[in-house]
Amino acid sequence: MSDQTSDSAPDSGEQDATAIVAEADTGARSPSGIPAKILWYVPLAWAAFQIWLASPLPFMLRFGIFNSTEARSIHLAFAIFLAFLAFPALKRSPRHYIPIQDWVIAFVAAFCAGYQYLFFLELSERPGLPTQMDLVVSMVGLVVILEGTRRALGPPLMVVAAVFMAYTFFGHLAPDVIQWKGASIGKAMSHYYLTTEGVYGIALGVSTSMVFLFVLFGSLLEKSGAGNYFIRVAFALMGHMKGGPAKAAVVSSAMTGLVSGSAIANVVTTGTFTIPLMRKVGFSAEKAGAVEVASSTNGQLTPPIMGAVAFLMIEYVGISYVEVIKHAALPALISYIALVYIVHLEALKADMKGLPRRSPPNFVRSLMGFLLSIIGLSVLTAVVYFGLGWMKGTFGEATVWIATVLLVISYVGLVYYACKFPELDTSLEIIELPDPGPTIKAGLFFLLPVVVLVWCLTVERLSPGLSAYYATLFMLFVLLTQRPLKAFMRGTGEKTIDSLKHGFMDTLEGLISGARNMIGIGVATAAAGIIVGTISLTGIGFVMSEFVEFISGGNVLVMLFLTAILSLILGMGLPTTANYIVVSSLLAPVIVTVGAQNGLIVPLIAVHMFVFYFGILADDTPPVALAAFAAAAISKGDPIRTGIQGFLYDIRTAILPFLFIFNTELLMIGVETWYHLLITVLTAVAAMLLFAAATQGYFLVKCRKWEVVALLLIAFTLFRPGFWMDQIYPPLESKPASSLFEIAGKMPTDSQIRIRVKGEDIEGRQIDKTVMLPLGAAGSGEKRLLEAGLELVKDGDKTIVDNVVFGSTAEKQKIDFDFEIVSVEVKTDRPVKQWFYLPALVILAFVMMLQRRRRETSAAAVTA
């Protein structure tokens, strides 16, 4: 491999792509002099504040303790101040200095954002009674948030937030279908700015307490060289295959996306390596860019970070972090496997080759190495897991210190081991495939911070913020020490003080880069708070539900399709975090409400995953498609065609939300045994591969039209076998409400009962819907329903809701007193739906037999 260095000049495409990332993520200005120092020290101070806020030190030292509202206020003050300094107002605005008006606006914006912190006590003493000063600050604050959002993220989110805010004041002028009475200035400003219902709501709170630390962790990981390591490993393992660079692009984007908070940055990080190599092996400019776009976009759907959305889901859905990861894992996995397969099919169709290896492969040696790696990893995992468990019982509170020492020893040992192999190449061109063994071993220590993060989140069950804090601390230690340790162990002659200085500067640059990456997210969550505040103030969510139900005519599939289109539109041009806040606040209740009224009851996590998936797909959906523009800048292809091709590759991702709405086993819901899990995973992967083959029109050979239809039918059956069973045996039967107590008493522990209710809500609207209520431990029907929040009475032959317990599941399902229980829906006794796998597999075997014959005939003709 050529010994190129990282300072080789990037071509114009890479410069263009980097400029897109700067404009979208970190700020396009690069002034000199004092302004440059301010843009260096302020992000550093912000990063230091967030690390302090996440740490246990304030409570140990009883100093620098901030409540959640104060912390959100300071967080937003940093973000909005930097937004006006780092992002120019217009494309023609200066990039190399900061105009005086931007300084003035930045300080005014920071004061307005920090108003909640500066006058917290005074504001808490007059809730709902704003002074003139409060109102002025609120109005100016909202205006600068909208302008800061426009600068940092472009017009889409600003326009959406402004439209929602206009609806608050001028709703009485809207068409009848969405009309409302409107709000006064005082009421609106209090709601938006002086309470935690709007700007300073859950979204900004999650950004403050969790998202910043994870973005910072990702930035430090990238600065340490881990991003380059992931890319080199992916190429070492997959680059030799047909279309190998494209497969490596998918895998490296998946690994980078694990901790990345931006699809656009993911495109540029991996795309500078992968896109030129895809072009070299035969991909067109648009297809090379589209593969990178599709894989980078999917990175935002991949646990454990999910573009920081995993932590928002904790708040919005009300489930634990581990549950979010469990539900999101299988869809992300099968989506990536299918993308690798699509790339493979593209390579087969064009007869592409992979990159040449350094040395010829040895199957026996490769197999033994793989098996030994699996065995070693399993043994190491068991030793760590059970060893820590033993230490906790033996050493108690001292365990954390002992584990820290062992972690540092492991790190030093892995760095020493890495020094036995050549340093990873950091050039932007991969001419020859790196050897897998030395490449993997040269950076194993990069995995330790990720292990610390995942361990704290999933095993220790620490809060996401505290988990990210400990992982970030360890990442800072790695950045400070890896260079001095390597210099000492390799004996390069580099002075210890010089290597320490270099490590220290890398650490500071990583902190600053992480903070600047957060500017857009910080102002986006504030702007999204305006939208959330409008929804809670005006009730537009109910209006949206009625509108979608009217348009869909009560058809569930049409309703889901409309919701998907609206999610794509609302998600255009928005960063991942803001994207999810907007679509989940506005559209998730639509699926819940309209679906329930038409008999579709799905878990809330499935609904949120549905809108999240389509919101994320907006990143590669023209005309906005920022990720596609970044990829096209590198590939020199047409950005619109790149976006369209990327969306065609992402059709496999687009069908998943529809499938897991109807088959929640894809989200690991209702999967209770190991063999059920195995069947679910295998059939889901097989179904997605067959769907990908059908959409590409190529399986073992080029498909005929009827074979495409057959493959789609087989994929659908493997994904949703219950559909065919429903045609033969109805899944539910209605029982009279009079049998409610008896049925509830006989149901298993921790099951759910499905009931149909109707009545009139507080606004006089007629409600007729089906809801599911959880039943706890076994007991009488009356007791179990009371635990779910329902007190019922008999009124003749009717069962009426007498009371709904405050804060109960029944209240959250918006059941009100005087509602009538119309019926109870129970599952029918029918054969298991998996029987329909058999005819699907028979048809698949028939298609494979015909295609194999055609392939053999074609090969024989070529030989002859």
Side-chain angles (χ1 to χ4, degrees):
M1 184 180 296
S2 61
D3 192 22
Q4 298 178 52
T5 58
S6 58
D7 50 21
S8 53
D11 65 25
S12 60
E14 289 150 13
Q15 291 174 333
D16 293 342
T18 304
I20 290 173
V21 174
E23 290 178 8
D25 283 350
T26 60
R29 276 205 180 116
S30 55
S32 57
I34 294 177
K37 291 182 178 178
I38 291 175
L39 281 176
W40 198 86
Y41 283 108
V42 173
L44 184 62
W46 190 11
F49 166 75
Q50 294 288 162
I51 293 173
W52 173 265
L53 188 68
S55 77
L57 290 177
F59 299 97
M60 294 168 60
L61 303 176
R62 297 185 179 181
F63 168 76
I65 300 174
F66 303 93
N67 64 40
S68 61
T69 303
E70 291 174 322
R72 294 172 192 184
S73 179
I74 297 171
H75 177 84
L76 180 58
F78 272 114
I80 200 77
F81 180 76
L82 289 169
F84 283 101
L85 297 187
F87 292 89
L90 302 168
K91 286 188 176 181
R92 63 176 180 274
S93 299
R95 298 296 198 267
H96 301 295
Y97 71 92
I98 302 173
I100 186 65
Q101 64 268 22
D102 283 357
W103 285 106
V104 173
I105 299 172
F107 280 107
V108 170
F111 171 77
C112 292
Y115 192 74
Q116 285 270 18
Y117 166 68
L118 297 171
F119 301 98
F120 179 77
L121 288 177
E122 291 87 342
L123 290 169
S124 63
E125 291 172 355
R126 54 172 189 267
L129 298 171
T131 64
Q132 187 172 5
M133 179 67 173
D134 296 340
L135 295 178
V136 170
V137 168
S138 300
M139 287 187 283
V140 174
L142 290 172
V143 170
V144 294
I145 286 172
L146 291 176
E147 170 58 13
T149 302
R150 184 194 67 80
R151 290 192 183 204
L153 305 168
L157 181 57
M158 183 272 291
V159 171
V160 172
V163 168
F164 271 77
M165 197 157 59
Y167 176 72
T168 298
F169 297 110
F170 305 109
H172 60 286
L173 302 176
D176 289 345
V177 69
I178 60 170
Q179 194 174 88
W180 94 293
K181 62 182 180 180
S184 65
I185 291 289
K187 183 178 180 180
M189 292 303 108
S190 291
H191 191 81
Y192 281 132
Y193 210 81
L194 302 177
T195 70
T196 55
E197 293 292 325
V199 169
Y200 297 96
I202 290 176
L204 188 62
V206 172
S207 175
T208 305
S209 61
M210 302 181 200
V211 176
F212 191 102
L213 264 293
F214 281 93
V215 171
L216 185 62
F217 175 75
S219 176
L220 293 171
L221 199 63
E222 179 65 33
K223 191 67 179 178
S224 70
N228 180 58
Y229 171 69
F230 291 152
I231 293 168
R232 301 283 163 176
V233 168
F235 271 93
L237 294 176
M238 306 191 75
H240 64 282
M241 300 177 179
K242 286 182 178 291
K247 293 174 182 174
V250 176
V251 174
S252 58
S253 292
M255 291 190 290
T256 305
L258 291 178
V259 292
S260 171
S262 168
I264 306 165
N266 200 341
V267 166
V268 175
T269 301
T270 58
T272 49
F273 294 88
T274 60
I275 291 175
L277 286 169
M278 282 189 268
R279 296 292 312 278
K280 183 181 291 187
V281 297
F283 280 86
S284 67
E286 285 74 24
K287 285 189 175 181
V291 168
E292 183 58 51
V293 168
S295 53
S296 295
T297 302
N298 274 212
Q300 304 301 286
L301 305 172
T302 308
I305 308 301
M306 297 166 65
V309 164
F311 314 110
L312 284 162
M313 283 188 179
I314 295 171
E315 299 293 331
Y316 285 168
V317 182
I319 59 178
S320 69
Y321 173 81
V322 174
E323 287 179 288
V324 172
I325 299 307
K326 180 184 77 171
H327 297 318
L330 182 57
L333 174 66
I334 62 178
S335 185
Y336 265 119
I337 290 174
L339 184 56
V340 172
Y341 186 57
I342 287 173
V343 167
H344 178 70
L345 294 176
E346 291 278 17
L348 286 178
K349 286 189 285 185
D351 194 26
M352 297 177 188
K353 306 297 180 185
L355 293 175
R357 291 180 170 184
R358 281 178 176 270
S359 54
N362 185 309
F363 177 75
V364 175
R365 190 190 314 147
S366 300
L367 181 61
M368 289 300 297
F370 176 75
L371 292 176
L372 288 174
S373 299
I374 294 296
I375 294 170
L377 186 61
S378 301
V379 171
L380 182 62
T381 302
V383 168
V384 172
Y385 185 81
F386 292 107
L388 280 177
W390 170 79
M391 288 196 316
K392 283 181 181 179
T394 305
F395 300 109
E397 294 183 359
T399 302
V400 65
W401 300 107
I402 298 171
T404 301
V405 171
L406 292 176
L407 179 66
V408 171
I409 292 172
S410 302
Y411 163 67
V412 174
L414 286 174
V415 172
Y416 176 75
Y417 186 57
C419 289
K420 295 179 179 293
F421 305 96
E423 189 72 24
L424 291 174
D425 186 14
T426 57
S427 64
L428 295 180
E429 184 177 9
I430 299 177
I431 300 173
E432 189 178 40
L433 285 186
D435 287 331
T439 303
I440 293 171
K441 294 168 185 174
L444 285 174
F445 62 92
F446 287 128
L447 301 179
L448 285 178
V450 180
V451 170
V452 170
L453 175 65
V454 175
W455 180 275
C456 290
L457 284 168
T458 59
V459 179
E460 297 297 329
R461 300 292 180 96
L462 300 180
S463 69
L466 195 57
S467 300
Y469 167 73
Y470 287 126
T472 300
L473 278 189
F474 187 63
M475 195 66 247
L476 290 171
F477 175 72
V478 170
L479 265 171
L480 285 168
T481 59
Q482 66 165 327
R483 189 180 178 95
L485 281 174
K486 285 183 177 180
F488 173 74
M489 292 173 178
R490 283 199 167 112
T492 59
E494 183 179 8
K495 292 182 180 179
T496 303
I497 189 67
D498 291 337
S499 58
L500 281 171
K501 284 181 179 178
H502 196 284
F504 182 69
M505 289 307 299
D506 280 347
T507 303
L508 294 182
E509 292 294 340
L511 291 170
I512 292 164
S513 175
R516 291 192 66 160
N517 284 334
M518 271 300 299
I519 297 172
I521 297 175
V523 295
T525 50
I530 297 174
I531 298 168
V532 175
T534 301
I535 294 169
S536 61
L537 179 62
T538 65
I540 184 65
F542 293 109
V543 175
M544 182 65 71
S545 299
E546 292 176 351
F547 176 73
V548 171
E549 183 179 23
F550 174 76
I551 296 296
S552 65
N555 184 291
V556 171
L557 274 177
V558 175
M559 178 267 293
L560 289 173
F561 183 75
L562 285 172
T563 306
I565 296 297
L566 289 171
S567 297
L568 282 172
I569 294 170
L570 289 173
M572 286 183 182
L574 303 189
T576 303
T577 313
N579 188 324
Y580 171 69
I581 295 166
V582 173
V583 296
S584 64
S585 299
L586 191 61
L587 297 176
V590 172
I591 298 178
V592 173
T593 304
V594 179
Q597 290 171 356
N598 293 276
L600 175 67
I601 306 296
V602 291
L604 193 56
I605 182 65
V607 173
H608 278 252
M609 290 286 288
F610 181 93
V611 296
F612 174 51
Y613 263 57
F614 280 102
I616 291 302
L617 287 176
D619 275 343
D620 60 8
T621 306
V624 179
L626 295 180
F629 276 85
I634 300 173
S635 70
K636 308 297 185 186
D638 179 81
I640 299 298
R641 289 171 60 193
T642 299
I644 293 171
Q645 184 66 56
F647 187 75
L648 291 176
Y649 287 152
D650 266 339
I651 288 177
R652 78 205 189 287
T653 304
I655 69 159
L656 274 174
F658 287 96
L659 294 168
F660 59 58
I661 283 286
F662 292 103
N663 181 11
T664 54
E665 288 179 359
L666 294 174
L667 298 178
M668 299 297 182
I669 296 173
V671 178
E672 298 173 353
T673 60
W674 68 267
Y675 53 85
H676 191 182
L677 172 63
L678 183 64
I679 291 172
T680 301
V681 173
L682 291 179
T683 54
V685 171
M688 184 54 79
L689 295 181
L690 293 172
F691 179 81
T695 56
Q696 291 297 303
Y698 196 101
F699 187 31
L700 302 180
V701 293
K702 186 176 180 180
C703 293
R704 292 168 178 164
K705 290 182 180 179
W706 74 266
E707 290 174 335
V708 170
V709 174
L711 290 176
L712 289 173
L713 186 64
I714 296 166
F716 177 77
T717 303
L718 294 179
F719 268 130
R720 197 188 165 201
F723 174 82
W724 304 111
M725 188 62 74
D726 292 346
Q727 309 308 308
I728 303 173
Y729 297 96
L732 301 167
E733 62 175 318
S734 293
K735 298 286 186 179
S738 58
S739 61
L740 175 59
F741 291 142
E742 180 185 354
I743 293 171
K746 292 180 179 179
M747 294 186 72
T749 299
D750 294 329
S751 57
Q752 290 190 315
I753 190 167
R754 183 178 179 125
I755 60 175
R756 181 182 162 210
V757 298
K758 68 177 182 179
E760 190 175 282
D761 68 7
I762 196 171
E763 296 181 4
R765 290 176 295 198
Q766 291 298 319
I767 304 297
D768 188 345
K769 64 181 180 180
T770 305
V771 299
M772 293 184 75
L773 298 177
L775 300 176
S780 68
E782 293 92 331
K783 180 182 176 182
R784 299 181 81 180
L785 287 167
L786 181 60
E787 289 175 354
L790 282 185
E791 292 184 30
L792 306 174
V793 295
K794 295 284 187 179
D795 183 10
D797 59 348
K798 293 183 178 180
T799 302
I800 304 296
V801 176
D802 187 47
N803 184 40
V804 179
V805 178
F806 178 76
S808 66
T809 306
E811 190 208 25
K812 292 176 182 176
Q813 295 276 19
K814 300 193 182 303
I815 300 175
D816 209 344
F817 71 94
D818 279 348
F819 273 28
E820 179 189 354
I821 308 296
V822 179
S823 61
V824 188
E825 296 182 353
V826 296
K827 291 183 178 179
T828 55
D829 185 17
R830 62 180 189 170
V832 293
K833 59 186 179 182
Q834 283 78 11
W835 280 111
F836 281 95
Y837 291 158
L838 295 178
L841 293 176
V842 169
I843 298 172
L844 175 61
F846 179 67
V847 172
M848 290 178 68
M849 180 186 70
L850 294 179
Q851 292 210 353
R852 189 177 288 115
R853 285 180 181 175
R854 293 211 304 274
R855 186 173 63 181
E856 291 170 356
T857 303
S858 176
V862 171
T863 305

